[in-house]
Amino acid sequence: MDDTPSQNCGAQSPSAKNTASPDPSPSQLVDAIIEDFPDHRPGTRPIHTIGIGVGGYFEASDIARNYCRAEHFGGQRVDVSVRFSNGSGSPVQHDGWNDVRGMATRFHLKNEAATDLIAMTLNGFFVRTTREFIDFTTAARQQPVKKETPWQKIWDMLQLKQPLRDPYPGQKESGDAGTLEYANAHPFAQLAVFQAGSIGAPVSYVRAAYHAVHTFIVTGEDGVRRPVRFAWKPVAGVCNTDPDAPPEDDYLQGELRERLARWPARFLLMMTIGESGDALDDPTVPWPAKRVRVVMGTLILDTVPADQQAAAEHISFNPWRLVDGIEPSNDPILLARRDAYEDSRKRRGGTACPFNRSGT
Ligand code: HEM
């Protein structure tokens, strides 16, 4: 197997190349996340902790290979493993609460190779660098929740500040106040923080759109390289629960089991092509809406494996698990994720990356 850097997900951290750099280590990034969730349970993911694994397959569109020569865009049916998750790092399930959701997809390729695409329901990230990430996670520490009066909310809006969301019944702590404060002082964080503060809860994991956020560089069959961003669009459409009538706190996994027992769920994989001047290395900046988008294929999800330990809990996704035809951009957040996910994987005893020859 080709041992390109993008496949070697246990390799040296990009920031570690410069020993004089005070950039946080992968382990410090993971510690910073854990500090935001004091009820973190060792042996589980520090974030996106509650999740469910499902199975199915991906079929590329006829035009996909023109844009990307990666094996899963070749046209043949490719088996997939997908883990849907709630964004929180708390092990307590609160499906009905306002939260970002995750969708991590593994495409199973020939000769036991694989490639991953990790996406979430925000279309941008909070920060641009790992040092900002540490500041942001520090701001996001849990604090006792405050309920703002209607007058305070109006006063916030008059100052062009997003008002605080009302706490859910039984919710005692939240990181919302700190992240809003951070966003009010850091314009680059505002889009993601404001979206995250009002994103709500989907009626189903398969009724949400998921964005891979970073720019990747794809190479077509003709050798042309293009900067792109990927997103999953649910064929059934996006639909949230009624915020005034939040459902039970553990409906998402049951809903998915019942739904897939009746009928498969489908997503379209959309690829947006960047143009000159678009932000390639900054995941906080969205691209203009009028960019060309290509349907790269359809994902069909039809099973919920009985062994959820193997299908969801032990599996370890990594945005650097890439194959020929897709390269990472120089986005510092994307670079940092490679070793942070590997650090987290080791801590929780997840399945090792098949491309890492040291066997860690
Ligand atoms: C510096 C920035 C980031 C850090 C340090 C970070 C860290 C982590 C860690 C440690 C995990 C658990 C990994 C494991 O134990 O397997 C995780 C999971 C996850 N992250 Fe990030 N993350 C970052 C940015 C992002 C971004 C930009 C996205 C947007 C797509 C994202 C989406 C997810 C999702 C969906 C999961 C759950 C994956 C699964 O189901 O296994 N993260 N993150």
Side-chain angles (χ1 to χ4, degrees), residues 19 39 45 56 69 89 99 127 129 142 154 162 180 193 215 228 246 283 302 304 335:
T19 47
D39 58 349
R45 285 169 176 80
R69 66 182 182 216
D99 198 2
V127 292
T129 66
Q142 304 273 321
I154 292 168
Q162 178 153 304
L180 273 181
V193 169
T215 303
V228 301
D302 54 6
V304 180
L335 293 174

Side-chain angles (χ1 to χ4, degrees), residues 171-303:
Q171 186 179 19
K172 297 203 166 45
E173 297 203 307
S174 157
D176 283 8
T179 55
L180 273 181
E181 214 169 291
Y182 184 89
N184 284 327
H186 299 90
F188 60 79
Q190 285 172 359
L191 190 63
V193 169
F194 295 169
Q195 265 187 34
S198 56
I199 200 161
V203 296
S204 165
Y205 278 128
V206 298
R207 300 289 309 269
Y210 296 85
H211 310 266
V213 171
H214 305 287
T215 303
F216 292 85
I217 313 297
V218 296
T219 306
E221 279 193 330
D222 54 3
V224 174
R225 297 170 77 244
R226 295 178 175 88
V228 301
R229 289 183 175 180
F230 291 102
W232 293 109
K233 301 287 172 189
V235 171
V238 169
C239 185
N240 258 10
T241 58
D242 177 353
D244 295 327
E248 294 299 309
D249 264 352
D250 61 351
Y251 65 97
L252 281 172
Q253 299 192 5
E255 192 279 341
L256 195 57
R257 287 176 191 279
E258 278 170 32
R259 179 187 288 262
L260 298 191
R262 277 184 279 118
W263 200 250
R266 288 179 162 76
F267 282 87
L268 292 181
L269 180 60
M270 306 300 300
M271 188 178 80
T272 304
I273 302 178
E275 291 182 15
S276 170
D278 289 346
L280 302 186
D281 303 337
D282 184 347
T284 67
V285 179
W287 287 352
K290 57 186 181 189
R291 291 286 170 267
V292 170
R293 284 194 304 165
V294 179
V295 179
M296 294 297 279
T298 308
L299 180 74
I300 295 103
L301 300 175
D302 54 6
T303 51

Side-chain angles (χ1 to χ4, degrees), residues 17-36:
K17 282 180 202 152
N18 176 1
T19 47
S21 165
D23 285 349
S25 68
S27 178
Q28 284 170 321
L29 296 175
V30 176
D31 286 341
I33 296 172
I34 291 174
E35 279 186 50
D36 280 351

Side-chain angles (χ1 to χ4, degrees), residues 53-55 82 257 303-308 311:
V54 299
V82 172
R257 287 176 191 279
T303 51
V304 180
D307 184 353
Q308 281 293 310

